[in-house]
């Protein structure tokens, strides 16, 4: 296993109707659902481990602490960065932060693009952080894990 603290990855995602609290059943508003934010954080953790686990090994989620600070409407682009911060045997702990990717506004030809206001900031400020937290994962043998879960081979 080539694991070391500092491994990191970033995933980007544009919020769709399928990502909303309404669709997830976690609320009645058309904004990014907290369970979907968690799924994006998990995806960033998995991406950080890509090509660093031995053949036949995978990781599974075992714990999470998440703070969801801002709403993200349909069409907002979210960037989630996860970093491996702790290793203890097979136990891995990642820290993650999710941010709005500010919309780029076009300027005159040849000028540098500007940045629009933060999406979802209820105070109208420039805090782009959507949420953050930690994710714990355990490294397991894929075949053994699936057998114990009762998933047929193949």
């Amino acid at each position: 296993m080539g694991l070391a603290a500092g491994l990191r990855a970033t995933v980007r995602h544009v919020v769709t109707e399928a990502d909303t609290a309404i669709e997830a059943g976690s609320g009645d508003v058309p904004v990014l659902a907290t369970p979907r934010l968690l799924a994006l954080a998990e995806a960033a953790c998995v991406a950080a481990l890509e090509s660093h686990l031995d053949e036949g090994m995978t990781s599974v989620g075992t714990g999470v602490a998440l703070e969801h600070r801002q709403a993200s409407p349909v069409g907002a682009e979210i960037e989630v960065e996860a970093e491996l911060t702790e290793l203890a045997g097979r136990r891995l702990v990642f820290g993650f932060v999710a941010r709005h990717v500010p919309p780029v506004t076009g300027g005159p030809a040849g000028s540098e693009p500007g940045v629009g206001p933060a999406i979802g900031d209820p105070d109208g400020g420039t805090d782009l952080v959507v949420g953050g937290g930690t994710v714990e994962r355990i490294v397991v043998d894929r075949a053994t894990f699936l057998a114990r879960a009762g998933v047929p081979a193949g």
Side-chain angles (χ1 to χ4, degrees):
M1 237 178 352
L3 298 177
L7 288 177
R8 63 176 66 208
T10 301
V11 297
R12 281 188 171 207
H13 181 76
V14 175
V15 178
T16 68
E17 293 289 339
D19 299 316
T20 65
I22 295 167
E23 290 297 317
S26 64
D28 63 359
V29 289
V31 297
L32 180 68
T34 301
R36 188 66 182 112
L37 176 58
L38 173 57
L40 292 169
E42 292 268 25
C45 295
V46 170
L49 296 174
E50 195 173 328
S51 78
H52 293 282
L53 295 177
D54 291 338
E55 183 74 25
M57 303 301 282
T58 191
S59 69
V60 295
T62 56
V64 64
L66 177 138
E67 179 182 342
H68 195 164
R69 294 178 39 186
Q70 278 193 58
S72 304
V74 171
E77 186 173 12
I78 306 299
E79 179 178 87
V80 182
E81 181 180 24
E83 179 179 359
L84 181 58
T85 58
E86 183 182 334
L87 290 89
R90 298 181 311 130
R91 181 176 167 266
L92 311 173
V93 178
F94 292 83
F96 73 90
V97 64
R99 293 181 178 87
H100 285 127
V101 176
V104 176
T105 57
S111 70
E112 292 296 316
V115 175
I119 297 172
D121 185 346
D123 300 321
T126 58
D127 182 10
L128 300 178
V129 175
V130 173
T134 59
V135 173
E136 179 179 294
R137 299 183 69 81
I138 300 290
V139 176
V140 298
D141 179 275
R142 181 180 288 105
T144 302
F145 178 82
L146 292 174
R148 286 185 181 159
V151 178

